[in-house]
Amino acid sequence: MPSTIKPKATVAAFHLHSNGKGVAQTIQQEGSVHTIRVDAAPVFGGNDENPSPIAYALSSLISCSQVTSQLVAKDLGLTLNGFEFDIQAELDTAILVGGALEGNANFERIEINAIVDTDSSDEQFEQLRQETERRCPIFQLFLRSGITITNRWSIRCAVTA
């Protein structure tokens, strides 16, 4: 007897639809007025008119970390006034571009450096960073795919006159 899948009350559903030609694509999320436009660099067959899927993936990682940290900060009673993220990644394109039969088409490593404007203590800040890593779905997606991630966060020091 087949069972009926019953979604959890805490599950957020997403539905996206795209149209494209070549490597360019336009994506709409159901229920949203926003449009995502994707292209690629000429080396990948594109015109570089919009961000690439790689840029969007890495952007998703740092933007989801920022959103998640705000949720965590609220739970911890912390105030976060601003963020700066710098992300670097290494991707071996031997499979993607060259069609190599062996290797890994995934990122080899990702390094994130974040500077957060907050007045939290060092202990609270470390709890914020760790809990953000644990709760962020995009961070977990990358981490569980086997990528080595270095995630350094620091507190912006207030300038005194």
Side-chain angles (χ1 to χ4, degrees), residues 57-58 61 107 110 138-147 149:
L58 294 171
L61 175 55
F107 292 98
I110 295 175
I138 306 297
F139 189 93
Q140 287 297 315
L141 178 69
F142 277 83
L143 185 66
R144 292 177 186 209
S145 75
I147 300 169
I149 302 175

Side-chain angles (χ1 to χ4, degrees), residues 23 40-46 91 93 96-97:
V23 299
V43 70
F44 298 116
L91 178 70
T93 61
L96 173 65
V97 177

Side-chain angles (χ1 to χ4, degrees), residues 2-3 10 20 28 36-37 41 46 67 73 75 105-106 111 114 119-120 123 130 138 141-142 155:
S3 63
T10 57
Q28 285 288 148
I36 301 169
R37 288 181 172 60
V67 169
D75 291 347
N106 201 351
E111 184 175 310
D119 59 1
S120 69
E123 182 180 299
Q130 289 179 6
I138 306 297
L141 178 69
F142 277 83
I155 297 173

Side-chain angles (χ1 to χ4, degrees), residues 23-36:
V23 299
Q25 192 175 45
T26 301
I27 304 165
Q28 285 288 148
Q29 178 179 332
E30 185 177 282
S32 175
V33 298
H34 302 292
T35 299
I36 301 169

Side-chain angles (χ1 to χ4, degrees), residues 26-138:
T26 301
I27 304 165
Q28 285 288 148
Q29 178 179 332
E30 185 177 282
S32 175
V33 298
H34 302 292
T35 299
I36 301 169
R37 288 181 172 60
V38 182
D39 198 357
V43 70
F44 298 116
N47 295 317
D48 201 22
E49 293 177 358
N50 291 294
S52 71
I54 301 297
Y56 276 118
L58 294 171
S59 297
S60 293
L61 175 55
I62 56 178
S63 61
C64 191
S65 293
Q66 181 171 326
V67 169
T68 303
S69 69
Q70 289 288 2
L71 296 171
V72 172
K74 182 179 177 187
D75 291 347
L76 297 176
L78 302 176
T79 301
L80 307 178
N81 299 312
F83 298 83
E84 282 184 40
F85 282 93
D86 185 71
I87 188 166
Q88 296 181 30
E90 292 179 355
L91 178 70
D92 183 351
T93 61
I95 294 174
L96 173 65
V97 177
L101 298 176
E102 294 187 21
N104 183 353
N106 201 351
F107 292 98
E108 292 185 3
R109 68 174 197 84
I110 295 175
E111 184 175 310
I112 302 167
N113 289 293
I115 301 172
V116 183
D117 183 356
T118 181
D119 59 1
S120 69
S121 70
D122 290 344
E123 182 180 299
Q124 291 170 318
F125 190 70
E126 181 58 19
Q127 184 180 9
L128 170 76
R129 186 195 61 77
Q130 289 179 6
E131 189 66 1
T132 297
E133 284 183 5
R134 185 185 76 80
R135 289 170 56 175
C136 177
I138 306 297

